[in-house]
Amino acid sequence: MFRDSQKIVVEDGLAPSAPYIINIRMEDLLEKLKLLNYDSEFVQELKMKPINRHHFVIPTNPGEQFYAFTCLAAWLIRKAGKSFEIPQESDDPNSTIALILDYLREINIPVEFPPSKLKQGSGEHAVYVLDNLADNALKVTEFKWKRVSIPPDEPTPEPEIEEDDAELILEKVEEEMMAEYDDDDDHDILHIDDITKLYGQNVSEMPKLDSILESTTNKEEWQLELEKVLPRLKVTIKTDSRDWRAHLEQMKQLRSNIATNLSGTKSHLSKIYTDIGNALDKIKTRETYLNRQLDPSLMEYRSLQEELSKVKEQYRDVSGGVTERTRVLNKLMEELEHVKREMDERGSSMTDGSK
């Protein structure tokens, strides 16, 4: 069945979650627009910018938001089967809003707010209008919400491994481990089997050392065997590039280069230091001379500044008195004009009586 009620309703407007209900309704509106093929029919066909879940919630650009609001409202009305022209940016906003609200009243959607609330193109009233229009469009297109069916969990059967297969797998794993071990270590380790191969006898059958051994091996043969075994007796130490010992020679070389170049650089730096000191001394001497020469002028400037301040203060006092006297003069002129009018009126009345 179609869902007629809102997803979230807050009865207490002072609840902490009340300001965020508009965000939930905006996300609900986006889901409804996706069901109405909003991406292909509105964005691509009408060449409109796609809206996000905060587009009509946060006021950013009233003109752009209002145009997007009216176009989306018109598209939803047309989606419901009623002819409605897509508004233009130059259209009268009041007439466009009136047409949208008239359609809401036709489909029995209560409109309990003034039309001026929609001129910003954002806020809870704009989301309310678009959400109801989307609900009506889904209802007209006979969209139905389907109940989600969750299949029951079925246990996954574990593969059965026979004993023979298990033994083969273990033997294969052992062979791979031994091969990796032999590849890594056989080149660097001299095994006991190699000794037996070299001397042609088993180690367990070697005679005990009860007396002094005398070598019966030929020197040349020994030297030849030693040359064969010598590569295996070499110890290779892997160096870490981050270890300071690996960079010791480089540090020594850099230190010698610094010591060699420091003598010439030090002389240049000393010369620069001396030149900068002489320049600072000249600047200080020149500054002292200028201060001594300009001291009378500065004193005169300060005295003139003080006199100017006094003259300005006197001017403010005098101008205040002039303003007050001007106001009194204007008042007296008004009274004089009033007296003149009365005298003229009495004179005219006396002249009329004499006749």
Side-chain angles (χ1 to χ4, degrees):
M1 295 179 65
F2 184 77
R3 174 163 54 88
D4 294 329
S5 60
Q6 294 182 359
K7 185 162 65 173
I8 293 180
V9 177
V10 177
E11 296 179 355
D12 187 6
L14 300 177
S17 60
Y20 303 100
I21 297 302
I22 185 174
N23 299 83
I24 304 298
R25 290 176 177 167
M26 184 64 201
E27 293 182 1
D28 195 13
L29 171 62
L30 282 180
E31 296 298 327
K32 295 174 185 177
L33 293 176
K34 292 177 182 178
L35 296 175
L36 293 169
N37 298 326
Y38 147 84
D39 294 327
S40 59
E41 297 182 9
F42 180 76
V43 177
Q44 295 182 5
E45 292 183 6
L46 300 180
K47 307 298 182 182
M48 298 294 295
K49 292 183 180 179
I51 62 176
N52 53 42
R53 58 193 181 118
H54 303 294
H55 190 83
F56 297 113
V57 176
I58 302 173
T60 54
N61 188 347
E64 182 180 353
Q65 287 178 308
F66 178 75
Y67 179 64
F69 163 74
T70 54
C71 290
L72 185 57
W75 178 76
L76 289 172
I77 294 172
R78 296 175 64 179
K79 192 73 176 177
K82 184 177 178 61
S83 61
F84 197 99
E85 295 184 0
I86 301 296
Q88 304 295 327
E89 294 185 1
S90 58
D91 293 346
D92 184 15
N94 295 321
S95 60
T96 306
I97 292 173
L99 293 174
I100 295 172
L101 295 181
D102 290 341
Y103 178 76
L104 286 175
R105 295 186 184 95
E106 288 180 8
I107 59 176
N108 298 323
I109 300 298
V111 180
E112 300 176 352
F113 54 87
S116 60
K117 295 289 186 179
L118 300 177
K119 286 188 177 181
Q120 297 296 324
S122 61
E124 59 177 339
H125 301 94
V127 176
Y128 169 80
V129 171
L130 294 175
D131 190 37
N132 284 282
L133 290 176
D135 286 339
N136 182 67
L138 288 173
K139 188 182 296 184
V140 171
T141 56
E142 297 181 354
F143 176 81
K144 295 182 179 180
W145 299 95
K146 296 181 180 180
R147 188 179 297 276
V148 179
S149 60
I150 302 175
D153 296 334
E154 296 181 358
T156 304
E158 297 182 357
E160 296 181 359
I161 301 176
E162 298 181 359
E163 294 182 358
D164 296 338
D165 295 337
E167 291 179 359
L168 292 175
I169 293 172
L170 290 175
E171 290 178 0
K172 187 176 181 181
V173 172
E174 289 179 358
E175 290 178 0
E176 291 178 356
M177 293 176 65
M178 291 299 296
E180 293 179 358
Y181 181 79
D182 292 340
D183 293 339
D184 294 338
D185 298 337
D186 279 354
H187 297 290
D188 299 331
I189 298 175
L190 182 62
H191 296 278
I192 193 68
D193 296 337
D194 297 333
I195 298 176
T196 57
K197 291 178 182 178
L198 290 174
Y199 295 100
Q201 60 181 355
N202 194 349
V203 178
S204 60
E205 298 177 357
M206 291 180 67
K208 297 182 180 179
L209 299 177
D210 294 336
S211 60
I212 300 174
L213 295 176
E214 293 182 0
S215 177
T216 58
T217 306
N218 189 2
K219 182 179 179 181
E220 295 179 356
E221 294 178 357
W222 174 260
Q223 190 69 26
L224 182 61
E225 295 296 334
L226 181 61
E227 291 177 356
K228 293 181 180 179
V229 179
L230 186 61
R232 298 187 179 185
L233 298 178
K234 291 183 180 180
V235 179
T236 304
I237 300 175
K238 295 182 180 180
T239 57
D240 189 2
S241 59
R242 295 173 295 177
D243 190 6
W244 64 270
R245 296 177 182 84
H247 301 283
L248 184 59
E249 294 297 329
Q250 184 180 5
M251 292 165 63
K252 291 180 179 179
Q253 182 66 29
L254 293 175
R255 182 180 178 182
S256 62
N257 292 337
I258 291 172
T260 303
N261 298 326
L262 183 61
S263 58
T265 307
K266 190 175 181 180
S267 61
H268 290 295
L269 292 175
S270 300
K271 183 179 179 182
I272 293 172
Y273 174 76
T274 304
D275 294 340
I276 292 173
N278 294 332
L280 290 175
D281 291 338
K282 291 180 181 179
I283 292 171
K284 187 176 180 180
T285 304
R286 190 64 178 173
E287 184 180 359
T288 304
Y289 173 76
L290 290 174
N291 288 334
R292 189 167 54 251
Q293 293 292 326
L294 296 175
D295 191 43
S297 300
L298 291 174
M299 294 294 294
E300 184 179 359
Y301 176 74
R302 293 192 188 96
S303 62
L304 292 174
Q305 284 286 99
E306 293 177 358
E307 292 179 2
L308 179 61
S309 300
K310 293 179 181 180
V311 171
K312 286 183 178 180
E313 186 68 25
Q314 293 176 0
Y315 172 75
R316 282 195 294 269
D317 295 339
V318 172
S319 61
V322 171
T323 305
E324 182 66 23
R325 290 181 178 83
T326 303
R327 188 180 63 79
V328 174
L329 178 61
N330 292 333
K331 186 177 180 180
L332 294 175
M333 292 293 293
E334 291 177 359
E335 293 178 356
L336 180 60
E337 290 293 332
H338 183 65
V339 172
K340 284 182 178 180
R341 285 196 299 271
E342 290 182 353
M343 291 178 65
D344 292 337
E345 291 176 357
R346 289 181 182 180
S348 60
S349 61
M350 291 173 64
T351 305
D352 294 338
S354 61
K355 294 180 180 179

PDB file of all heavy atoms in Angstrom, residues 155-173:
ATOM      1  N   PRO A 155      22.358 -22.815   7.261  1.00  0.00           N
ATOM      2  CA  PRO A 155      23.757 -23.142   7.602  1.00  0.00           C
ATOM      3  C   PRO A 155      24.518 -23.612   6.370  1.00  0.00           C
ATOM      4  O   PRO A 155      24.013 -24.404   5.572  1.00  0.00           O
ATOM      5  CB  PRO A 155      23.614 -24.261   8.646  1.00  0.00           C
ATOM      6  CG  PRO A 155      22.275 -24.872   8.361  1.00  0.00           C
ATOM      7  CD  PRO A 155      21.393 -23.734   7.896  1.00  0.00           C
ATOM      8  N   THR A 156      25.697 -23.109   6.200  1.00  0.00           N
ATOM      9  CA  THR A 156      26.537 -23.481   5.064  1.00  0.00           C
ATOM     10  C   THR A 156      27.232 -24.796   5.353  1.00  0.00           C
ATOM     11  O   THR A 156      27.960 -24.901   6.360  1.00  0.00           O
ATOM     12  CB  THR A 156      27.576 -22.393   4.793  1.00  0.00           C
ATOM     13  OG1 THR A 156      26.895 -21.150   4.601  1.00  0.00           O
ATOM     14  CG2 THR A 156      28.398 -22.721   3.560  1.00  0.00           C
ATOM     15  N   PRO A 157      26.990 -25.810   4.560  1.00  0.00           N
ATOM     16  CA  PRO A 157      27.650 -27.101   4.840  1.00  0.00           C
ATOM     17  C   PRO A 157      29.145 -27.008   4.611  1.00  0.00           C
ATOM     18  O   PRO A 157      29.614 -26.445   3.615  1.00  0.00           O
ATOM     19  CB  PRO A 157      26.986 -28.054   3.840  1.00  0.00           C
ATOM     20  CG  PRO A 157      26.528 -27.164   2.721  1.00  0.00           C
ATOM     21  CD  PRO A 157      26.152 -25.863   3.360  1.00  0.00           C
ATOM     22  N   GLU A 158      29.884 -27.521   5.563  1.00  0.00           N
ATOM     23  CA  GLU A 158      31.338 -27.526   5.441  1.00  0.00           C
ATOM     24  C   GLU A 158      31.768 -28.689   4.558  1.00  0.00           C
ATOM     25  O   GLU A 158      31.206 -29.795   4.656  1.00  0.00           O
ATOM     26  CB  GLU A 158      31.982 -27.655   6.818  1.00  0.00           C
ATOM     27  CG  GLU A 158      31.672 -26.474   7.727  1.00  0.00           C
ATOM     28  CD  GLU A 158      32.362 -26.631   9.059  1.00  0.00           C
ATOM     29  OE1 GLU A 158      33.019 -27.680   9.250  1.00  0.00           O
ATOM     30  OE2 GLU A 158      32.237 -25.710   9.892  1.00  0.00           O
ATOM     31  N   PRO A 159      32.704 -28.476   3.701  1.00  0.00           N
ATOM     32  CA  PRO A 159      33.159 -29.582   2.829  1.00  0.00           C
ATOM     33  C   PRO A 159      33.821 -30.679   3.651  1.00  0.00           C
ATOM     34  O   PRO A 159      34.613 -30.409   4.552  1.00  0.00           O
ATOM     35  CB  PRO A 159      34.136 -28.896   1.876  1.00  0.00           C
ATOM     36  CG  PRO A 159      34.599 -27.696   2.610  1.00  0.00           C
ATOM     37  CD  PRO A 159      33.437 -27.253   3.445  1.00  0.00           C
ATOM     38  N   GLU A 160      33.458 -31.922   3.316  1.00  0.00           N
ATOM     39  CA  GLU A 160      34.031 -33.064   4.020  1.00  0.00           C
ATOM     40  C   GLU A 160      35.388 -33.407   3.403  1.00  0.00           C
ATOM     41  O   GLU A 160      35.535 -33.500   2.189  1.00  0.00           O
ATOM     42  CB  GLU A 160      33.095 -34.265   3.911  1.00  0.00           C
ATOM     43  CG  GLU A 160      31.747 -34.037   4.599  1.00  0.00           C
ATOM     44  CD  GLU A 160      30.858 -35.249   4.484  1.00  0.00           C
ATOM     45  OE1 GLU A 160      31.304 -36.232   3.844  1.00  0.00           O
ATOM     46  OE2 GLU A 160      29.737 -35.209   5.033  1.00  0.00           O
ATOM     47  N   ILE A 161      36.341 -33.573   4.266  1.00  0.00           N
ATOM     48  CA  ILE A 161      37.697 -33.903   3.829  1.00  0.00           C
ATOM     49  C   ILE A 161      38.035 -35.296   4.345  1.00  0.00           C
ATOM     50  O   ILE A 161      37.953 -35.550   5.557  1.00  0.00           O
ATOM     51  CB  ILE A 161      38.714 -32.883   4.348  1.00  0.00           C
ATOM     52  CG1 ILE A 161      38.347 -31.486   3.837  1.00  0.00           C
ATOM     53  CG2 ILE A 161      40.119 -33.246   3.913  1.00  0.00           C
ATOM     54  CD1 ILE A 161      39.236 -30.400   4.373  1.00  0.00           C
ATOM     55  N   GLU A 162      38.354 -36.160   3.448  1.00  0.00           N
ATOM     56  CA  GLU A 162      38.733 -37.503   3.857  1.00  0.00           C
ATOM     57  C   GLU A 162      40.130 -37.500   4.469  1.00  0.00           C
ATOM     58  O   GLU A 162      40.895 -36.549   4.326  1.00  0.00           O
ATOM     59  CB  GLU A 162      38.686 -38.433   2.641  1.00  0.00           C
ATOM     60  CG  GLU A 162      37.285 -38.548   2.039  1.00  0.00           C
ATOM     61  CD  GLU A 162      37.278 -39.478   0.863  1.00  0.00           C
ATOM     62  OE1 GLU A 162      38.378 -39.999   0.518  1.00  0.00           O
ATOM     63  OE2 GLU A 162      36.189 -39.705   0.295  1.00  0.00           O
ATOM     64  N   GLU A 163      40.434 -38.605   5.150  1.00  0.00           N
ATOM     65  CA  GLU A 163      41.730 -38.681   5.835  1.00  0.00           C
ATOM     66  C   GLU A 163      42.875 -38.659   4.846  1.00  0.00           C
ATOM     67  O   GLU A 163      43.902 -38.010   5.087  1.00  0.00           O
ATOM     68  CB  GLU A 163      41.768 -39.945   6.692  1.00  0.00           C
ATOM     69  CG  GLU A 163      40.767 -39.924   7.846  1.00  0.00           C
ATOM     70  CD  GLU A 163      40.878 -41.178   8.686  1.00  0.00           C
ATOM     71  OE1 GLU A 163      41.712 -42.044   8.324  1.00  0.00           O
ATOM     72  OE2 GLU A 163      40.158 -41.270   9.691  1.00  0.00           O
ATOM     73  N   ASP A 164      42.702 -39.346   3.721  1.00  0.00           N
ATOM     74  CA  ASP A 164      43.790 -39.372   2.737  1.00  0.00           C
ATOM     75  C   ASP A 164      44.024 -37.988   2.151  1.00  0.00           C
ATOM     76  O   ASP A 164      45.168 -37.558   1.980  1.00  0.00           O
ATOM     77  CB  ASP A 164      43.448 -40.357   1.614  1.00  0.00           C
ATOM     78  CG  ASP A 164      43.347 -41.788   2.147  1.00  0.00           C
ATOM     79  OD1 ASP A 164      43.930 -42.047   3.214  1.00  0.00           O
ATOM     80  OD2 ASP A 164      42.693 -42.610   1.483  1.00  0.00           O
ATOM     81  N   ASP A 165      42.916 -37.279   1.864  1.00  0.00           N
ATOM     82  CA  ASP A 165      43.062 -35.923   1.322  1.00  0.00           C
ATOM     83  C   ASP A 165      43.691 -35.006   2.352  1.00  0.00           C
ATOM     84  O   ASP A 165      44.504 -34.135   2.005  1.00  0.00           O
ATOM     85  CB  ASP A 165      41.685 -35.385   0.910  1.00  0.00           C
ATOM     86  CG  ASP A 165      41.100 -36.202  -0.230  1.00  0.00           C
ATOM     87  OD1 ASP A 165      41.885 -36.843  -0.939  1.00  0.00           O
ATOM     88  OD2 ASP A 165      39.859 -36.164  -0.392  1.00  0.00           O
ATOM     89  N   ALA A 166      43.320 -35.157   3.624  1.00  0.00           N
ATOM     90  CA  ALA A 166      43.908 -34.321   4.672  1.00  0.00           C
ATOM     91  C   ALA A 166      45.402 -34.548   4.779  1.00  0.00           C
ATOM     92  O   ALA A 166      46.195 -33.605   4.938  1.00  0.00           O
ATOM     93  CB  ALA A 166      43.219 -34.602   6.010  1.00  0.00           C
ATOM     94  N   GLU A 167      45.836 -35.808   4.692  1.00  0.00           N
ATOM     95  CA  GLU A 167      47.273 -36.090   4.774  1.00  0.00           C
ATOM     96  C   GLU A 167      47.999 -35.493   3.573  1.00  0.00           C
ATOM     97  O   GLU A 167      49.102 -34.942   3.707  1.00  0.00           O
ATOM     98  CB  GLU A 167      47.479 -37.602   4.828  1.00  0.00           C
ATOM     99  CG  GLU A 167      46.998 -38.234   6.139  1.00  0.00           C
ATOM    100  CD  GLU A 167      47.196 -39.740   6.137  1.00  0.00           C
ATOM    101  OE1 GLU A 167      47.682 -40.254   5.089  1.00  0.00           O
ATOM    102  OE2 GLU A 167      46.885 -40.380   7.155  1.00  0.00           O
ATOM    103  N   LEU A 168      47.372 -35.572   2.380  1.00  0.00           N
ATOM    104  CA  LEU A 168      48.009 -34.987   1.209  1.00  0.00           C
ATOM    105  C   LEU A 168      48.148 -33.476   1.327  1.00  0.00           C
ATOM    106  O   LEU A 168      49.170 -32.894   0.959  1.00  0.00           O
ATOM    107  CB  LEU A 168      47.199 -35.338  -0.049  1.00  0.00           C
ATOM    108  CG  LEU A 168      47.196 -36.814  -0.460  1.00  0.00           C
ATOM    109  CD1 LEU A 168      46.265 -37.028  -1.646  1.00  0.00           C
ATOM    110  CD2 LEU A 168      48.620 -37.255  -0.830  1.00  0.00           C
ATOM    111  N   ILE A 169      47.110 -32.850   1.880  1.00  0.00           N
ATOM    112  CA  ILE A 169      47.161 -31.390   2.052  1.00  0.00           C
ATOM    113  C   ILE A 169      48.255 -31.009   3.029  1.00  0.00           C
ATOM    114  O   ILE A 169      49.027 -30.059   2.818  1.00  0.00           O
ATOM    115  CB  ILE A 169      45.790 -30.875   2.509  1.00  0.00           C
ATOM    116  CG1 ILE A 169      44.758 -31.055   1.384  1.00  0.00           C
ATOM    117  CG2 ILE A 169      45.866 -29.416   2.931  1.00  0.00           C
ATOM    118  CD1 ILE A 169      43.342 -30.753   1.796  1.00  0.00           C
ATOM    119  N   LEU A 170      48.354 -31.737   4.153  1.00  0.00           N
ATOM    120  CA  LEU A 170      49.395 -31.438   5.139  1.00  0.00           C
ATOM    121  C   LEU A 170      50.784 -31.631   4.549  1.00  0.00           C
ATOM    122  O   LEU A 170      51.701 -30.835   4.778  1.00  0.00           O
ATOM    123  CB  LEU A 170      49.212 -32.332   6.366  1.00  0.00           C
ATOM    124  CG  LEU A 170      47.986 -32.022   7.253  1.00  0.00           C
ATOM    125  CD1 LEU A 170      47.862 -33.061   8.355  1.00  0.00           C
ATOM    126  CD2 LEU A 170      48.123 -30.637   7.870  1.00  0.00           C
ATOM    127  N   GLU A 171      50.966 -32.736   3.785  1.00  0.00           N
ATOM    128  CA  GLU A 171      52.274 -32.958   3.175  1.00  0.00           C
ATOM    129  C   GLU A 171      52.624 -31.844   2.193  1.00  0.00           C
ATOM    130  O   GLU A 171      53.764 -31.373   2.123  1.00  0.00           O
ATOM    131  CB  GLU A 171      52.261 -34.309   2.460  1.00  0.00           C
ATOM    132  CG  GLU A 171      52.220 -35.491   3.418  1.00  0.00           C
ATOM    133  CD  GLU A 171      52.162 -36.812   2.667  1.00  0.00           C
ATOM    134  OE1 GLU A 171      52.156 -36.744   1.409  1.00  0.00           O
ATOM    135  OE2 GLU A 171      52.132 -37.863   3.312  1.00  0.00           O
ATOM    136  N   LYS A 172      51.611 -31.361   1.438  1.00  0.00           N
ATOM    137  CA  LYS A 172      51.857 -30.278   0.476  1.00  0.00           C
ATOM    138  C   LYS A 172      52.250 -28.992   1.175  1.00  0.00           C
ATOM    139  O   LYS A 172      53.168 -28.287   0.750  1.00  0.00           O
ATOM    140  CB  LYS A 172      50.608 -30.063  -0.372  1.00  0.00           C
ATOM    141  CG  LYS A 172      50.816 -29.080  -1.516  1.00  0.00           C
ATOM    142  CD  LYS A 172      49.585 -28.984  -2.372  1.00  0.00           C
ATOM    143  CE  LYS A 172      49.811 -28.014  -3.516  1.00  0.00           C
ATOM    144  NZ  LYS A 172      48.602 -27.884  -4.371  1.00  0.00           N
ATOM    145  N   VAL A 173      51.560 -28.687   2.283  1.00  0.00           N
ATOM    146  CA  VAL A 173      51.892 -27.481   3.041  1.00  0.00           C
ATOM    147  C   VAL A 173      53.297 -27.571   3.619  1.00  0.00           C
ATOM    148  O   VAL A 173      54.080 -26.606   3.588  1.00  0.00           O
ATOM    149  CB  VAL A 173      50.846 -27.264   4.150  1.00  0.00           C
ATOM    150  CG1 VAL A 173      51.288 -26.139   5.071  1.00  0.00           C
ATOM    151  CG2 VAL A 173      49.496 -26.941   3.555  1.00  0.00           C
TER     152      VAL A 173
END
